[in-house]
Amino acid sequence: MRYKKEDIESFMTSIMTKEDTFKFGCKMCGDCCRKRQEPIMLTGYDVFRVSRALNIKPFEFIEEYTEWYVGDSSYLPVVILKARYDGSCPLLRKGKCTVQEDKPIVCAIYPLGRIFIAGEEESFGYFEQPYSCGNGTGEEHTLKEWLDKFKVSEWDEASILWAKTIARCAMAMRNIKQDTKLFTGVITVLLNVFYVAYDIEKDYLEQFKSNIEKMEIIFKEFKIQL
Ligand code: SF4
Ligand code: SF4
């Protein structure tokens, strides 16, 4: 979801601690999978995990289940889940998520949102999304309990590296956006580095690090400052 500046400022003042609680009552209506207001953006790790859960190559997953475009402010490839003709998520079957255990991070933490906090102790800050369904009602949960349900903390190293790499690349792409030929070529490189060039049988993080190294070599060759 793309937040407004004032939303981000408000989230920063309401970052939760692990023991903070929130109330949330899911009515199991499935609307978040059927008619989501905002597209579900996927990180590279989301693409990897969902491809692995479906036992297909990331390339096949991207072809069949997603759409991608170049972000108008990030200048980076952005991959989102395709919507079916009726607006529902293509991973929904008979009212159930087919990748429940490996669902994308935004689905896993809903109704919470998160924001990357740079600095000496890089981390993610979690907050209650102001516009979500059913918040403020239902059972009380701690942040820790909510994140533990999908073992979200185990993704932190990959997620932090992702956030940092995205920020570095966005800066570099902004600098070369006027050079259409170079820009288009680098977008293809980034699609591979971020999403496609992964073997679902191997460790994600090692492959991501190795892809970043290959990307740095290409950027150096083309004198693109990272
Ligand atoms: S999270 Fe909200 S929209 Fe999704 S199933 Fe539960 S109540 Fe419905
Ligand atoms: S990935 Fe699963 S949880 Fe997320 S919108 Fe699709 S069906 Fe729903």
Side-chain angles (χ1 to χ4, degrees):
M1 180 173 196
R2 194 171 298 161
Y3 296 114
K4 291 187 240 138
K5 187 168 173 274
E6 54 271 29
D7 281 338
I8 294 172
E9 281 163 7
S10 135
F11 300 153
M12 291 307 285
T13 57
S14 38
I15 296 292
M16 302 167 77
T17 69
K18 288 277 165 75
E19 302 314 319
D20 277 347
T21 58
F22 64 99
K23 281 189 168 179
F24 180 67
C26 175
K27 300 186 290 294
M28 308 292 278
C29 65
D31 281 358
C32 50
C33 307
R34 274 197 212 98
K35 41 186 175 186
R36 203 151 174 140
Q37 307 288 324
E38 296 279 341
I40 296 177
M41 282 188 197
L42 303 175
T43 65
Y45 197 30
D46 289 330
V47 169
F48 179 84
R49 290 169 57 257
V50 176
S51 304
R52 190 175 57 189
L54 298 172
N55 198 23
I56 57 178
K57 293 188 171 111
F59 174 73
E60 294 167 324
F61 170 69
I62 287 174
E63 282 270 294
E64 194 172 340
Y65 293 91
T66 74
E67 294 169 8
W68 73 273
Y69 57 89
V70 177
D72 54 13
S73 56
S74 70
Y75 304 105
L76 296 174
V78 177
V79 175
I80 58 171
L81 275 176
K82 240 182 217 168
R84 290 198 189 105
Y85 68 92
D86 62 355
S88 65
C89 173
L91 295 167
L92 188 69
R93 292 265 186 286
K94 297 185 178 168
K96 290 203 174 126
C97 177
T98 49
V99 292
Q100 174 66 8
E101 299 298 315
D102 293 288
K103 53 167 80 167
I105 182 78
V106 290
C107 302
I109 65 173
Y110 191 80
L112 305 180
R114 71 176 190 171
I115 200 160
F116 177 59
I117 302 175
E120 264 178 46
E121 283 187 34
E122 294 157 330
S123 63
F124 286 93
Y126 291 85
F127 52 85
E128 282 186 72
Q129 296 204 55
Y131 320 115
S132 63
C133 63
N135 57 353
T137 62
E139 279 179 45
E140 193 166 77
H141 311 272
T142 64
L143 171 63
K144 181 175 181 323
E145 171 208 325
W146 204 252
L147 299 184
D148 284 353
K149 201 165 57 152
F150 286 99
K151 304 189 178 82
V152 170
S153 308
E154 290 178 13
W155 313 2
D156 274 0
E157 193 179 350
S159 298
I160 288 171
L161 184 58
W162 173 261
K164 286 165 60 176
T165 307
I166 289 289
R168 285 171 76 203
C169 291
M171 195 87 81
M173 294 304 277
R174 199 163 299 137
N175 292 336
I176 63 162
K177 66 179 194 291
Q178 309 297 356
D179 185 337
T180 312
K181 198 169 162 208
L182 180 62
F183 184 85
T184 309
V186 177
I187 286 289
T188 307
V189 170
L190 293 182
L191 262 175
N192 277 294
V193 167
F194 292 161
Y195 304 102
V196 178
Y198 291 87
D199 180 342
I200 56 167
E201 304 288 337
K202 296 184 181 161
D203 179 72
Y204 169 78
L205 194 55
E206 289 311 309
Q207 294 183 83
F208 186 28
K209 287 178 183 167
S210 155
N211 282 354
I212 292 171
E213 281 172 16
K214 288 177 197 151
M215 174 190 79
E216 286 170 345
I217 293 169
I218 295 172
F219 274 43
K220 206 169 169 185
E221 251 173 52
F222 286 90
K223 301 189 173 41
I224 304 169
Q225 199 159 2
L226 260 176

